Structures are given as C-alpha cells and as structure tokens.
Amino acid sequence: MTKEVVVTVLGMQKSPHAGEAPQEVISKAEGVFYEKNGKKYVLFEEQEEETNHTTKNTVKLDGKSVELIRRGALSTHMLFESGVDFPTEYKTPYGSMMLNIVTKNLTIFESDEQIKVTIKYELRSNENLLSDCSTVITVKAGTES
C-alpha cells in the first residue's frame, strides 16, 4: 500500500423505532497510510459541510480489531472487536454523552492496493438500543487526482 491513500467511509444508522428511515452518510477524503509496530494506521480529515469544522480521524487496525479516533467538533474513541462491548464518550459542540458500542460483526479485507473494513454494531445508551449501525471503510492506494 502506498503512503498516499483515498479513504471512503459509508455509514448507515437504523433506528429501532418502526417507520423511521435509515440514515446514510458517505464521505471521501485523501489520507495517509503507514505501518508501525505491527499495526496499520490511516489518517484523514473530514470537513463538515454545515459547520465547516474539520475532524481529524485515525483508523488503527491490528488484524482482529479496529479503532476509530475522531478529534474535532465531534470527538470520540471507538473500538470495534467482534463480541466486545466498548464504552465511549461521544463529544459534540452541544455536550457529551456516554455510549456503548457492541460489535456484532467485523471483517477486514486487505490486498496490496486496498483495505476494506466492514463493521456491524449496535449503539447503546444506558442499555437502551439507540441504533443498529453499519460502517464500511475503504482505503485505496493513490490520490483522487
């Protein structure tokens, strides 16, 4: 994998309440890939359209788990590992809340030119299901231009 990469993140949240449509978010950005101490790292920034705030993202892969660390207007540290219930604080400009991430399924595909991570998880607060979520992170060698 080259140092310069293009990162695409596709996220979907489905509310447990009947009749509510799933919410889908997609973002694409150029980033940097590197390996250190047996782990793979992807760094990229996202620009929020509505607020123009920048969020710095770090994805850390170790073969059995994925960490997503976000710093900016929205800040959190999320750990995804199959069968693991991970508590995290989700910080927004309006305040913060404690959430639990329960990873249902995690797959990591790697080749010389691409990494594709697929995560299915529940987002919970005080044992209450907030949403069923899925995230697909695709990292491809090269740049957008």
Side-chain angles (χ1 to χ4, degrees), residues 114-142:
Q114 176 176 302
I115 298 172
K116 185 174 184 179
V117 177
T118 304
I119 311 163
K120 295 188 184 305
Y121 63 100
E122 292 178 349
L123 206 50
R124 296 184 164 270
S125 178
N126 298 322
E127 298 300 317
N128 296 315
L129 179 64
L130 298 178
S131 61
D132 281 310
C133 304
S134 65
T135 300
V136 178
I137 303 169
T138 306
V139 182
K140 292 185 178 179

PDB file of all heavy atoms in Angstrom, residues 114-142:
ATOM      1  N   GLN A 114      -5.576  -2.162  -1.494  1.00  0.00           N
ATOM      2  CA  GLN A 114      -6.813  -1.759  -0.828  1.00  0.00           C
ATOM      3  C   GLN A 114      -6.981  -2.451   0.524  1.00  0.00           C
ATOM      4  O   GLN A 114      -6.553  -3.579   0.713  1.00  0.00           O
ATOM      5  CB  GLN A 114      -8.004  -2.116  -1.722  1.00  0.00           C
ATOM      6  CG  GLN A 114      -9.360  -1.844  -1.119  1.00  0.00           C
ATOM      7  CD  GLN A 114     -10.481  -2.129  -2.091  1.00  0.00           C
ATOM      8  OE1 GLN A 114     -10.526  -1.561  -3.169  1.00  0.00           O
ATOM      9  NE2 GLN A 114     -11.387  -3.007  -1.724  1.00  0.00           N
ATOM     10  N   ILE A 115      -7.625  -1.731   1.440  1.00  0.00           N
ATOM     11  CA  ILE A 115      -8.106  -2.301   2.699  1.00  0.00           C
ATOM     12  C   ILE A 115      -9.588  -1.975   2.762  1.00  0.00           C
ATOM     13  O   ILE A 115      -9.998  -0.838   2.506  1.00  0.00           O
ATOM     14  CB  ILE A 115      -7.390  -1.689   3.918  1.00  0.00           C
ATOM     15  CG1 ILE A 115      -5.894  -1.989   3.880  1.00  0.00           C
ATOM     16  CG2 ILE A 115      -8.018  -2.197   5.218  1.00  0.00           C
ATOM     17  CD1 ILE A 115      -5.101  -1.260   4.947  1.00  0.00           C
ATOM     18  N   LYS A 116     -10.389  -2.979   3.096  1.00  0.00           N
ATOM     19  CA  LYS A 116     -11.828  -2.754   3.245  1.00  0.00           C
ATOM     20  C   LYS A 116     -12.270  -3.333   4.585  1.00  0.00           C
ATOM     21  O   LYS A 116     -12.096  -4.510   4.848  1.00  0.00           O
ATOM     22  CB  LYS A 116     -12.611  -3.397   2.105  1.00  0.00           C
ATOM     23  CG  LYS A 116     -14.100  -3.080   2.161  1.00  0.00           C
ATOM     24  CD  LYS A 116     -14.806  -3.603   0.934  1.00  0.00           C
ATOM     25  CE  LYS A 116     -16.268  -3.212   0.949  1.00  0.00           C
ATOM     26  NZ  LYS A 116     -16.954  -3.709  -0.252  1.00  0.00           N
ATOM     27  N   VAL A 117     -12.821  -2.462   5.424  1.00  0.00           N
ATOM     28  CA  VAL A 117     -13.286  -2.840   6.751  1.00  0.00           C
ATOM     29  C   VAL A 117     -14.801  -2.713   6.770  1.00  0.00           C
ATOM     30  O   VAL A 117     -15.337  -1.658   6.417  1.00  0.00           O
ATOM     31  CB  VAL A 117     -12.676  -1.925   7.833  1.00  0.00           C
ATOM     32  CG1 VAL A 117     -13.220  -2.267   9.206  1.00  0.00           C
ATOM     33  CG2 VAL A 117     -11.169  -1.983   7.806  1.00  0.00           C
ATOM     34  N   THR A 118     -15.492  -3.768   7.169  1.00  0.00           N
ATOM     35  CA  THR A 118     -16.947  -3.742   7.292  1.00  0.00           C
ATOM     36  C   THR A 118     -17.297  -4.042   8.750  1.00  0.00           C
ATOM     37  O   THR A 118     -16.871  -5.058   9.299  1.00  0.00           O
ATOM     38  CB  THR A 118     -17.609  -4.783   6.369  1.00  0.00           C
ATOM     39  OG1 THR A 118     -17.177  -4.532   5.021  1.00  0.00           O
ATOM     40  CG2 THR A 118     -19.123  -4.694   6.432  1.00  0.00           C
ATOM     41  N   ILE A 119     -18.053  -3.127   9.355  1.00  0.00           N
ATOM     42  CA  ILE A 119     -18.400  -3.242  10.769  1.00  0.00           C
ATOM     43  C   ILE A 119     -19.915  -3.171  10.918  1.00  0.00           C
ATOM     44  O   ILE A 119     -20.552  -2.260  10.379  1.00  0.00           O
ATOM     45  CB  ILE A 119     -17.774  -2.103  11.602  1.00  0.00           C
ATOM     46  CG1 ILE A 119     -16.286  -1.949  11.303  1.00  0.00           C
ATOM     47  CG2 ILE A 119     -18.035  -2.315  13.083  1.00  0.00           C
ATOM     48  CD1 ILE A 119     -15.707  -0.625  11.767  1.00  0.00           C
ATOM     49  N   LYS A 120     -20.490  -4.104  11.641  1.00  0.00           N
ATOM     50  CA  LYS A 120     -21.901  -4.054  12.014  1.00  0.00           C
ATOM     51  C   LYS A 120     -21.933  -4.000  13.537  1.00  0.00           C
ATOM     52  O   LYS A 120     -21.310  -4.827  14.209  1.00  0.00           O
ATOM     53  CB  LYS A 120     -22.661  -5.261  11.491  1.00  0.00           C
ATOM     54  CG  LYS A 120     -22.716  -5.290   9.974  1.00  0.00           C
ATOM     55  CD  LYS A 120     -23.636  -6.386   9.468  1.00  0.00           C
ATOM     56  CE  LYS A 120     -23.624  -6.488   7.967  1.00  0.00           C
ATOM     57  NZ  LYS A 120     -23.930  -5.324   7.224  1.00  0.00           N
ATOM     58  N   TYR A 121     -22.634  -2.991  14.070  1.00  0.00           N
ATOM     59  CA  TYR A 121     -22.626  -2.806  15.520  1.00  0.00           C
ATOM     60  C   TYR A 121     -23.897  -2.124  16.001  1.00  0.00           C
ATOM     61  O   TYR A 121     -24.647  -1.547  15.217  1.00  0.00           O
ATOM     62  CB  TYR A 121     -21.398  -2.000  15.951  1.00  0.00           C
ATOM     63  CG  TYR A 121     -21.328  -0.597  15.405  1.00  0.00           C
ATOM     64  CD1 TYR A 121     -21.709   0.499  16.182  1.00  0.00           C
ATOM     65  CD2 TYR A 121     -20.867  -0.342  14.115  1.00  0.00           C
ATOM     66  CE1 TYR A 121     -21.639   1.794  15.681  1.00  0.00           C
ATOM     67  CE2 TYR A 121     -20.782   0.944  13.615  1.00  0.00           C
ATOM     68  CZ  TYR A 121     -21.168   2.006  14.398  1.00  0.00           C
ATOM     69  OH  TYR A 121     -21.107   3.284  13.902  1.00  0.00           O
ATOM     70  N   GLU A 122     -24.122  -2.237  17.305  1.00  0.00           N
ATOM     71  CA  GLU A 122     -25.226  -1.545  17.956  1.00  0.00           C
ATOM     72  C   GLU A 122     -24.660  -0.362  18.734  1.00  0.00           C
ATOM     73  O   GLU A 122     -23.588  -0.459  19.330  1.00  0.00           O
ATOM     74  CB  GLU A 122     -25.950  -2.459  18.949  1.00  0.00           C
ATOM     75  CG  GLU A 122     -26.696  -3.588  18.314  1.00  0.00           C
ATOM     76  CD  GLU A 122     -27.353  -4.501  19.336  1.00  0.00           C
ATOM     77  OE1 GLU A 122     -27.062  -4.376  20.553  1.00  0.00           O
ATOM     78  OE2 GLU A 122     -28.154  -5.336  18.916  1.00  0.00           O
ATOM     79  N   LEU A 123     -25.404   0.716  18.720  1.00  0.00           N
ATOM     80  CA  LEU A 123     -25.083   1.877  19.522  1.00  0.00           C
ATOM     81  C   LEU A 123     -26.107   1.916  20.652  1.00  0.00           C
ATOM     82  O   LEU A 123     -27.309   1.933  20.400  1.00  0.00           O
ATOM     83  CB  LEU A 123     -25.185   3.132  18.658  1.00  0.00           C
ATOM     84  CG  LEU A 123     -24.372   4.345  19.019  1.00  0.00           C
ATOM     85  CD1 LEU A 123     -22.913   4.007  19.254  1.00  0.00           C
ATOM     86  CD2 LEU A 123     -24.501   5.397  17.948  1.00  0.00           C
ATOM     87  N   ARG A 124     -25.610   1.883  21.899  1.00  0.00           N
ATOM     88  CA  ARG A 124     -26.491   1.802  23.065  1.00  0.00           C
ATOM     89  C   ARG A 124     -26.171   2.915  24.054  1.00  0.00           C
ATOM     90  O   ARG A 124     -25.037   3.371  24.134  1.00  0.00           O
ATOM     91  CB  ARG A 124     -26.356   0.456  23.769  1.00  0.00           C
ATOM     92  CG  ARG A 124     -26.801  -0.702  22.910  1.00  0.00           C
ATOM     93  CD  ARG A 124     -26.735  -2.019  23.674  1.00  0.00           C
ATOM     94  NE  ARG A 124     -27.497  -3.034  22.990  1.00  0.00           N
ATOM     95  CZ  ARG A 124     -28.784  -3.292  23.202  1.00  0.00           C
ATOM     96  NH1 ARG A 124     -29.446  -2.601  24.101  1.00  0.00           N
ATOM     97  NH2 ARG A 124     -29.399  -4.230  22.523  1.00  0.00           N
ATOM     98  N   SER A 125     -27.190   3.310  24.806  1.00  0.00           N
ATOM     99  CA  SER A 125     -27.024   4.258  25.898  1.00  0.00           C
ATOM    100  C   SER A 125     -27.847   3.749  27.073  1.00  0.00           C
ATOM    101  O   SER A 125     -29.053   3.506  26.918  1.00  0.00           O
ATOM    102  CB  SER A 125     -27.499   5.650  25.481  1.00  0.00           C
ATOM    103  OG  SER A 125     -27.387   6.552  26.560  1.00  0.00           O
ATOM    104  N   ASN A 126     -27.204   3.562  28.215  1.00  0.00           N
ATOM    105  CA  ASN A 126     -27.892   3.023  29.398  1.00  0.00           C
ATOM    106  C   ASN A 126     -28.658   1.746  29.069  1.00  0.00           C
ATOM    107  O   ASN A 126     -29.821   1.601  29.436  1.00  0.00           O
ATOM    108  CB  ASN A 126     -28.840   4.069  29.998  1.00  0.00           C
ATOM    109  CG  ASN A 126     -28.100   5.294  30.474  1.00  0.00           C
ATOM    110  OD1 ASN A 126     -27.007   5.196  31.015  1.00  0.00           O
ATOM    111  ND2 ASN A 126     -28.682   6.460  30.259  1.00  0.00           N
ATOM    112  N   GLU A 127     -28.025   0.851  28.348  1.00  0.00           N
ATOM    113  CA  GLU A 127     -28.601  -0.447  27.951  1.00  0.00           C
ATOM    114  C   GLU A 127     -29.737  -0.327  26.937  1.00  0.00           C
ATOM    115  O   GLU A 127     -30.321  -1.325  26.542  1.00  0.00           O
ATOM    116  CB  GLU A 127     -29.077  -1.249  29.173  1.00  0.00           C
ATOM    117  CG  GLU A 127     -27.978  -1.608  30.137  1.00  0.00           C
ATOM    118  CD  GLU A 127     -26.892  -2.464  29.509  1.00  0.00           C
ATOM    119  OE1 GLU A 127     -27.207  -3.398  28.761  1.00  0.00           O
ATOM    120  OE2 GLU A 127     -25.708  -2.180  29.776  1.00  0.00           O
ATOM    121  N   ASN A 128     -30.089   0.891  26.523  1.00  0.00           N
ATOM    122  CA  ASN A 128     -31.143   1.087  25.519  1.00  0.00           C
ATOM    123  C   ASN A 128     -30.529   1.148  24.130  1.00  0.00           C
ATOM    124  O   ASN A 128     -29.553   1.867  23.912  1.00  0.00           O
ATOM    125  CB  ASN A 128     -31.930   2.378  25.791  1.00  0.00           C
ATOM    126  CG  ASN A 128     -32.674   2.330  27.101  1.00  0.00           C
ATOM    127  OD1 ASN A 128     -33.316   1.335  27.420  1.00  0.00           O
ATOM    128  ND2 ASN A 128     -32.567   3.393  27.874  1.00  0.00           N
ATOM    129  N   LEU A 129     -31.137   0.419  23.195  1.00  0.00           N
ATOM    130  CA  LEU A 129     -30.669   0.444  21.818  1.00  0.00           C
ATOM    131  C   LEU A 129     -31.029   1.775  21.173  1.00  0.00           C
ATOM    132  O   LEU A 129     -32.202   2.153  21.123  1.00  0.00           O
ATOM    133  CB  LEU A 129     -31.301  -0.715  21.019  1.00  0.00           C
ATOM    134  CG  LEU A 129     -30.929  -0.800  19.547  1.00  0.00           C
ATOM    135  CD1 LEU A 129     -29.436  -1.061  19.381  1.00  0.00           C
ATOM    136  CD2 LEU A 129     -31.745  -1.893  18.863  1.00  0.00           C
ATOM    137  N   LEU A 130     -30.011   2.511  20.715  1.00  0.00           N
ATOM    138  CA  LEU A 130     -30.240   3.770  20.001  1.00  0.00           C
ATOM    139  C   LEU A 130     -30.347   3.529  18.502  1.00  0.00           C
ATOM    140  O   LEU A 130     -31.179   4.122  17.832  1.00  0.00           O
ATOM    141  CB  LEU A 130     -29.113   4.763  20.277  1.00  0.00           C
ATOM    142  CG  LEU A 130     -28.914   5.202  21.718  1.00  0.00           C
ATOM    143  CD1 LEU A 130     -27.723   6.140  21.823  1.00  0.00           C
ATOM    144  CD2 LEU A 130     -30.176   5.858  22.259  1.00  0.00           C
ATOM    145  N   SER A 131     -29.444   2.660  17.982  1.00  0.00           N
ATOM    146  CA  SER A 131     -29.487   2.364  16.550  1.00  0.00           C
ATOM    147  C   SER A 131     -28.648   1.141  16.222  1.00  0.00           C
ATOM    148  O   SER A 131     -27.691   0.826  16.923  1.00  0.00           O
ATOM    149  CB  SER A 131     -29.031   3.566  15.716  1.00  0.00           C
ATOM    150  OG  SER A 131     -27.714   3.912  16.033  1.00  0.00           O
ATOM    151  N   ASP A 132     -29.063   0.467  15.147  1.00  0.00           N
ATOM    152  CA  ASP A 132     -28.253  -0.573  14.528  1.00  0.00           C
ATOM    153  C   ASP A 132     -27.428   0.137  13.469  1.00  0.00           C
ATOM    154  O   ASP A 132     -27.974   0.887  12.649  1.00  0.00           O
ATOM    155  CB  ASP A 132     -29.133  -1.639  13.869  1.00  0.00           C
ATOM    156  CG  ASP A 132     -29.696  -2.611  14.882  1.00  0.00           C
ATOM    157  OD1 ASP A 132     -28.911  -3.139  15.690  1.00  0.00           O
ATOM    158  OD2 ASP A 132     -30.920  -2.839  14.868  1.00  0.00           O
ATOM    159  N   CYS A 133     -26.134  -0.097  13.458  1.00  0.00           N
ATOM    160  CA  CYS A 133     -25.251   0.659  12.576  1.00  0.00           C
ATOM    161  C   CYS A 133     -24.395  -0.272  11.728  1.00  0.00           C
ATOM    162  O   CYS A 133     -24.098  -1.398  12.120  1.00  0.00           O
ATOM    163  CB  CYS A 133     -24.316   1.539  13.402  1.00  0.00           C
ATOM    164  SG  CYS A 133     -25.151   2.654  14.533  1.00  0.00           S
ATOM    165  N   SER A 134     -24.007   0.239  10.586  1.00  0.00           N
ATOM    166  CA  SER A 134     -23.005  -0.434   9.777  1.00  0.00           C
ATOM    167  C   SER A 134     -22.098   0.636   9.189  1.00  0.00           C
ATOM    168  O   SER A 134     -22.549   1.729   8.845  1.00  0.00           O
ATOM    169  CB  SER A 134     -23.630  -1.286   8.680  1.00  0.00           C
ATOM    170  OG  SER A 134     -24.304  -0.485   7.762  1.00  0.00           O
ATOM    171  N   THR A 135     -20.826   0.318   9.127  1.00  0.00           N
ATOM    172  CA  THR A 135     -19.833   1.232   8.570  1.00  0.00           C
ATOM    173  C   THR A 135     -18.906   0.430   7.667  1.00  0.00           C
ATOM    174  O   THR A 135     -18.461  -0.648   8.050  1.00  0.00           O
ATOM    175  CB  THR A 135     -19.019   1.912   9.689  1.00  0.00           C
ATOM    176  OG1 THR A 135     -19.905   2.653  10.530  1.00  0.00           O
ATOM    177  CG2 THR A 135     -17.965   2.837   9.122  1.00  0.00           C
ATOM    178  N   VAL A 136     -18.647   0.976   6.489  1.00  0.00           N
ATOM    179  CA  VAL A 136     -17.688   0.379   5.569  1.00  0.00           C
ATOM    180  C   VAL A 136     -16.608   1.430   5.321  1.00  0.00           C
ATOM    181  O   VAL A 136     -16.908   2.535   4.856  1.00  0.00           O
ATOM    182  CB  VAL A 136     -18.339  -0.057   4.245  1.00  0.00           C
ATOM    183  CG1 VAL A 136     -17.287  -0.635   3.301  1.00  0.00           C
ATOM    184  CG2 VAL A 136     -19.454  -1.066   4.495  1.00  0.00           C
ATOM    185  N   ILE A 137     -15.377   1.093   5.664  1.00  0.00           N
ATOM    186  CA  ILE A 137     -14.236   1.982   5.442  1.00  0.00           C
ATOM    187  C   ILE A 137     -13.385   1.340   4.358  1.00  0.00           C
ATOM    188  O   ILE A 137     -12.909   0.221   4.513  1.00  0.00           O
ATOM    189  CB  ILE A 137     -13.402   2.166   6.724  1.00  0.00           C
ATOM    190  CG1 ILE A 137     -14.268   2.707   7.857  1.00  0.00           C
ATOM    191  CG2 ILE A 137     -12.201   3.083   6.444  1.00  0.00           C
ATOM    192  CD1 ILE A 137     -13.589   2.676   9.216  1.00  0.00           C
ATOM    193  N   THR A 138     -13.227   2.065   3.241  1.00  0.00           N
ATOM    194  CA  THR A 138     -12.413   1.572   2.136  1.00  0.00           C
ATOM    195  C   THR A 138     -11.207   2.488   1.978  1.00  0.00           C
ATOM    196  O   THR A 138     -11.361   3.712   1.882  1.00  0.00           O
ATOM    197  CB  THR A 138     -13.225   1.536   0.825  1.00  0.00           C
ATOM    198  OG1 THR A 138     -14.417   0.781   1.050  1.00  0.00           O
ATOM    199  CG2 THR A 138     -12.430   0.900  -0.296  1.00  0.00           C
ATOM    200  N   VAL A 139     -10.035   1.890   1.982  1.00  0.00           N
ATOM    201  CA  VAL A 139      -8.775   2.628   1.832  1.00  0.00           C
ATOM    202  C   VAL A 139      -8.118   2.123   0.566  1.00  0.00           C
ATOM    203  O   VAL A 139      -7.794   0.939   0.463  1.00  0.00           O
ATOM    204  CB  VAL A 139      -7.853   2.409   3.047  1.00  0.00           C
ATOM    205  CG1 VAL A 139      -6.570   3.208   2.893  1.00  0.00           C
ATOM    206  CG2 VAL A 139      -8.566   2.751   4.345  1.00  0.00           C
ATOM    207  N   LYS A 140      -7.927   3.024  -0.424  1.00  0.00           N
ATOM    208  CA  LYS A 140      -7.305   2.633  -1.693  1.00  0.00           C
ATOM    209  C   LYS A 140      -6.027   3.399  -1.903  1.00  0.00           C
ATOM    210  O   LYS A 140      -5.941   4.598  -1.602  1.00  0.00           O
ATOM    211  CB  LYS A 140      -8.258   2.908  -2.862  1.00  0.00           C
ATOM    212  CG  LYS A 140      -9.468   2.013  -2.868  1.00  0.00           C
ATOM    213  CD  LYS A 140     -10.312   2.238  -4.103  1.00  0.00           C
ATOM    214  CE  LYS A 140     -11.497   1.280  -4.111  1.00  0.00           C
ATOM    215  NZ  LYS A 140     -12.342   1.493  -5.279  1.00  0.00           N
ATOM    216  N   ALA A 141      -5.035   2.717  -2.445  1.00  0.00           N
ATOM    217  CA  ALA A 141      -3.759   3.341  -2.738  1.00  0.00           C
ATOM    218  C   ALA A 141      -3.933   4.434  -3.783  1.00  0.00           C
ATOM    219  O   ALA A 141      -4.748   4.322  -4.688  1.00  0.00           O
ATOM    220  CB  ALA A 141      -2.779   2.290  -3.251  1.00  0.00           C
ATOM    221  N   GLY A 142      -3.181   5.547  -3.633  1.00  0.00           N
ATOM    222  CA  GLY A 142      -3.198   6.628  -4.612  1.00  0.00           C
ATOM    223  C   GLY A 142      -3.899   7.869  -4.098  1.00  0.00           C
ATOM    224  O   GLY A 142      -4.163   8.003  -2.915  1.00  0.00           O
TER     225      GLY A 142
END
